[in-house]
Amino acid sequence: MNIYDISQKAGVSTATVSRVLNHSPRVSEATRARVLAVMEESGYVPNAFARSLGLNSMKTIGLLCPNAADPYLSHALSYLERELRRRQYSCLLSCCERDLPSRKQGIELLTAQHVDGVILMGSTFVEEKAKDNESIRKAALQTPVVILNASLKAPNVYSVLCDEQQATRDAARFLLESGRRRILYLYHSRNHNGRKKLNGYRAAHEALAVPVDEALLRYFPEDEMNVSHVRDELVRLDEAGLRFDAVLASEDLLAVGALKYAGVRGRNVPKDLSVIGYNNSDACLCCDPELTSVDNRLKAVCEHCVSVLLDVLEGREAPQETVFSGELVFRQSTVSPSSTIEGSTVSSAAPSQKKEVNP
């Protein structure tokens, strides 16, 4: 018997059960009595380590990271740890490989430590097949789970992410509206989020009735995602006769490799070649010209992950899913935004959010 079972039998949300355990005044006496009756009938005793009979907690959040050396994830780790510390929580970090068995084992090891909640870092954790997400659902029966940058609908699982399909669509559309017609798309992931970005690239072409040349789609696996390899591969493609007047990349390092290629081949950026990256990382400022990139709001996403998790732990209502919009940050590797034709969807507005309260 766990908190989810109690909520099902009492006909209330898991957040309401948590409020009862924490003696919150935001529960009616009738609801409190019903929940307590179900607990007594079921012989339910909250985890002594994590909740200490609803009066205390370990004040520790488990963080599971598939690759701490990855620039995106290392920044996410820094933001999460900083925000947890600010909120008087400590974190327990565990690293795993990207394959499914390693991720499953990592989740099991963290939940065995009786942490108050778990944050899964990155889209790697969510699979297309429902059975492959069973370890997440099982963990959520014991403790709240928040997934950073991926979406999974399941009881006691919360998702905070950037709309990467729309962000990539906006970036590709900007290039098309600035006169580019052969956009080389470089990508490094074939998981759910990787496909969403690719769909955004295709959607921009479809919206402007520009055919997609499949030869312009180039995949770089993780072990080949380095600047020199991308540079050399683009030189090879150029020498083989592949024409392209822009590069859109799913990660900034891929885009930096494209800038290095331009230097080798004597192509002027942005006059002859426009280049856009993704993540708006420090790498954008370490190249010449500086790189235009999609800011996927990582800091805001991480801070919201912590906020959602602590709301759940402290018995407040929390959105099951929050989606931030990305923003295209312009630098020297593209033409000025004023050069685009009227009707561009690219915006520098604050991120929008979509919230769905737990049923």
Side-chain angles (χ1 to χ4, degrees):
M1 181 65 65
N2 53 58
I3 190 171
Y4 175 64
D5 298 322
I6 296 296
S7 71
Q8 291 290 93
K9 292 191 69 172
V12 299
S13 69
T14 53
T16 297
V17 177
S18 181
R19 280 195 288 270
V20 172
L21 289 172
N22 286 284
H23 307 291
S24 169
R26 296 177 58 219
V27 182
S28 71
E29 287 307 313
T31 299
R32 188 188 309 277
R34 187 164 75 252
V35 172
L36 290 174
V38 171
M39 289 181 181
E40 183 176 358
E41 176 187 339
S42 306
Y44 173 74
V45 178
N47 185 294
F49 292 98
R51 306 304 304 161
S52 188
L53 298 178
L55 300 176
N56 300 299
S57 81
M58 297 286 287
K59 302 284 282 187
T60 301
I61 303 300
L63 306 179
L64 187 58
C65 178
N67 183 4
D70 180 281
Y72 173 85
L73 293 175
S74 64
H75 278 89
L77 176 59
S78 174
Y79 293 138
L80 290 169
E81 190 278 332
R82 187 183 309 165
E83 183 64 10
L84 284 167
R85 182 159 31 88
R86 189 183 73 82
R87 304 281 288 267
Q88 283 82 54
Y89 276 75
S90 58
C91 65
L92 179 62
L93 173 65
S94 181
C95 293
C96 62
E97 299 297 329
R98 294 185 184 272
D99 62 280
L100 181 59
S102 294
R103 286 183 275 122
K104 179 181 177 181
Q105 183 183 43
I107 292 171
E108 292 172 349
L109 287 173
L110 262 188
T111 53
Q113 300 304 310
H114 305 294
V115 292
D116 291 87
V118 170
I119 298 178
L120 304 179
M121 299 169 56
S123 59
T124 302
F125 286 97
V126 177
E127 298 285 348
E128 288 293 308
K129 297 179 181 178
K131 66 180 182 65
D132 292 335
N133 296 314
E134 193 56 37
S135 60
I136 299 176
R137 293 188 175 90
K138 183 178 179 182
L141 296 178
Q142 304 177 52
T143 186
V145 175
V146 176
I147 307 176
L148 186 156
N149 209 33
S151 179
L152 177 66
K153 287 180 170 56
N156 215 26
V157 175
Y158 304 84
S159 304
V160 185
L161 61 153
C162 175
D163 188 345
E164 298 196 318
Q165 180 166 321
Q166 183 63 45
T168 307
R169 180 183 184 275
D170 287 347
R173 180 159 182 161
F174 168 78
L175 291 171
L176 292 168
E177 290 182 336
S178 64
R180 308 300 180 176
R181 283 298 177 269
R182 293 187 58 79
I183 305 172
L184 181 64
Y185 182 62
L186 312 180
Y187 63 105
H188 69 292
S189 172
R190 287 173 169 160
N191 67 12
H192 181 63
N193 276 23
R195 289 192 294 274
K196 285 167 61 177
K197 289 181 181 180
L198 181 55
N199 289 341
Y201 170 89
R202 293 185 183 278
H205 284 74
E206 181 179 351
L208 296 178
V210 177
V212 173
D213 183 351
E214 299 296 321
L216 294 173
L217 309 179
R218 295 288 164 167
Y219 170 66
F220 290 83
E222 187 176 4
D223 59 350
E224 296 179 5
M225 197 180 70
N226 61 73
V227 172
S228 59
H229 182 84
V230 176
R231 176 201 63 203
D232 295 344
E233 180 62 13
L234 266 58
V235 168
R236 186 190 69 77
L237 293 174
D238 191 347
E239 292 175 342
L242 183 68
R243 295 184 300 106
F244 51 94
D245 53 14
V247 175
L248 175 60
S250 66
E251 212 283 338
D252 286 333
L253 285 180
L254 295 172
V256 173
L259 291 177
K260 294 294 185 181
Y261 145 81
V264 170
R265 299 295 286 177
R267 300 191 65 178
N268 181 278
V269 177
K271 183 179 179 181
D272 300 330
L273 183 73
S274 294
V275 182
I276 296 180
Y278 199 102
N279 285 342
N280 196 34
S281 65
D282 293 341
C284 298
L285 304 177
C286 298
C287 51
D288 186 20
E290 293 183 356
L291 180 65
T292 294
S293 182
V294 175
D295 185 345
N296 56 1
R297 306 289 186 175
L298 180 58
K299 184 174 185 291
V301 167
C302 290
E303 290 175 349
H304 196 70
C305 281
V306 173
S307 179
V308 165
L309 182 53
L310 298 195
D311 280 347
V312 174
L313 291 175
E314 294 166 12
R316 295 184 291 270
E317 294 291 344
Q320 190 160 18
E321 181 176 277
T322 307
V323 182
F324 286 78
S325 60
E327 177 186 359
L328 193 53
V329 179
F330 293 96
R331 298 189 180 90
Q332 301 161 353
S333 66
T334 57
V335 297
S336 166
S338 61
S339 301
T340 62
I341 64 173
E342 185 177 356
S344 171
T345 62
V346 176
S347 171
S348 60
S352 61
Q353 297 181 18
K354 178 176 65 179
K355 295 185 177 181
E356 178 186 342
V357 176
N358 285 328

